[in-house]
């Protein structure tokens, strides 16, 4: 009798953690850009997840999701970024050597948080704001601090989930 072989198309660690980041982004109420983040430990355990949203207690019905207009009438002064939430939601404040998987390259403010938390590597999907000063400043700090970053290279284009059983 032949031995049964293990499944071949299981998710890699990178695919798994990026998929968790993207699934978390589905919780975001931002109508324009939904970002999720997932922090993985050196032992490949998930230690924190987050997505972009307003702070706890700040109702989505009270604050604006506008992109344009006077600063205080836009979302920008109020929204917590996915990376910040993932770090704040983490089970430990010491994230030394952890990796953060994120749908969009971190801004300069989240980069400060990432560096200070001890996270050692950023794996991102999109760098659509690479020409902004925020992302340029972020990369400058990451290079100085020795925090590495790399773009996620998918080996598959999608992962399907089905809630229907049998
Ligand atoms: N690395 C990032 C970058 C942005 N965000 C959040 C902040 C906003 O909710 C949204 C960006 O909005 P847009 O200017 O594209 O309309 O994404 C984040 O969580 N992490
Ligand atoms: Zn940010």
């Amino acid at each position: 009798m032949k031995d049964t072989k293990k499944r071949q198309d299981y998710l890699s660690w990178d695919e798994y953690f990026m998929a968790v980041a993207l699934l978390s982004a589905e919780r975001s109420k931002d109508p324009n850009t939904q970002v999720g983040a997932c922090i993985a430990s050196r032992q490949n355990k998930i230690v924190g997840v987050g997505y972009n949203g307003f702070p706890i207690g700040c109702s989505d019905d009270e604050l604006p999701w506008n992109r344009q207009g006077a600063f205080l009438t836009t979302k920008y002064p109020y929204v917590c970024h996915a990376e910040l939430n993932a770090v704040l939601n983490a089970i430990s404040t010491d994230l030394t050597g952890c990796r953060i998987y994120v749908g969009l390259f971190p801004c300069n403010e989240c980069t400060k948080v990432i560096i200070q938390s001890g996270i050692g590597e950023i794996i991102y999907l999109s760098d659509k704001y690479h020409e902004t000063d925020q992302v340029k400043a972020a990369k400058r700090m990451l290079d100085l601090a020795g925090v590495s970053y790399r773009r996620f290279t998918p080996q598959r284009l999608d992962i399907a989930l089905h809630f229907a059983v049998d």
Side-chain angles (χ1 to χ4, degrees), residues 79-84 105-111:
V79 71
C80 297
H81 289 194
E83 305 92 314
L84 175 68
F105 200 97
C107 73
N108 58 310
E109 293 300 332
C110 290
T111 291

Side-chain angles (χ1 to χ4, degrees), residues 140-152:
R140 187 176 184 179
M141 288 187 280
L142 293 169
D143 292 342
L144 285 169
V147 175
S148 58
Y149 48 92
R150 61 179 163 90
R151 188 188 282 272
F152 174 69

Side-chain angles (χ1 to χ4, degrees), residues 9-28:
D9 64 342
Y10 60 91
L11 298 179
S12 68
W13 286 120
D14 272 3
E15 289 170 331
Y16 174 52
F17 297 128
M18 188 57 83
V20 171
L22 296 181
L23 184 65
S24 304
E26 292 297 314
R27 279 284 308 152
S28 175

